[in-house]
Amino acid sequence: MTQPVPVRVVTLEARPVQMSVVVAGRVAAARETTLASTVTGRVWATPVAEGAAVRAGTPLVVLDSDEWRAAVAQARAQQADARNQLAEAERQAARQRVAQADAALRQSRARLD
């Protein structure tokens, strides 16, 4: 027969567990974007601080719009002027057609006589 093996008995009790993890590393943005503009202008405001998290559609830079507003006003004025010139040309063309028709009628009557 075999000899009995001695067994050690331990009674379990609840104790707080402490766990620490020490790591070395570097924090970096998940996404980084280079900012560029398709138009030139004076920067009026920068409402977002560098490095701040933003959502899609958040204005990052506000440009001075006075120059662009003036350009729009000028384009509208040019458009109105072009429409006026077109209307005047159509009136002149209509008058010339009437004048040509009158002259053609006079010429036809003169030939008939």
Side-chain angles (χ1 to χ4, degrees):
M1 296 218 184
T2 58
Q3 295 273 335
V5 177
V7 176
R8 196 172 122 197
V9 176
V10 177
T11 304
L12 298 178
E13 60 183 68
R15 290 188 185 173
V17 176
Q18 279 188 324
M19 185 153 85
S20 301
V21 177
V22 178
V23 294
R26 189 177 95 130
V27 176
R31 286 191 226 162
E32 191 172 308
T33 301
T34 301
L35 181 63
S37 176
T38 57
V39 296
T40 59
R42 290 186 307 265
V43 174
W44 186 261
T46 53
V48 177
E50 182 179 340
V54 294
R55 292 183 178 189
T58 302
L60 303 177
V61 175
V62 179
L63 299 179
D64 182 10
S65 62
D66 289 347
E67 183 180 340
W68 293 103
R69 290 180 197 277
V72 168
Q74 181 180 10
R76 285 185 176 150
Q78 289 172 340
Q79 183 185 44
D81 186 46
R83 286 183 176 155
N84 290 337
Q85 288 180 15
L86 176 61
E88 180 59 30
E90 287 173 343
R91 283 191 294 274
Q92 284 183 353
R95 280 194 301 270
Q96 287 177 354
R97 281 191 296 270
V98 171
Q100 287 174 351
D102 288 345
L105 180 60
R106 282 193 304 275
Q107 183 180 24
S108 295
R109 284 185 179 159
R111 286 183 181 163
L112 179 62
D113 290 343

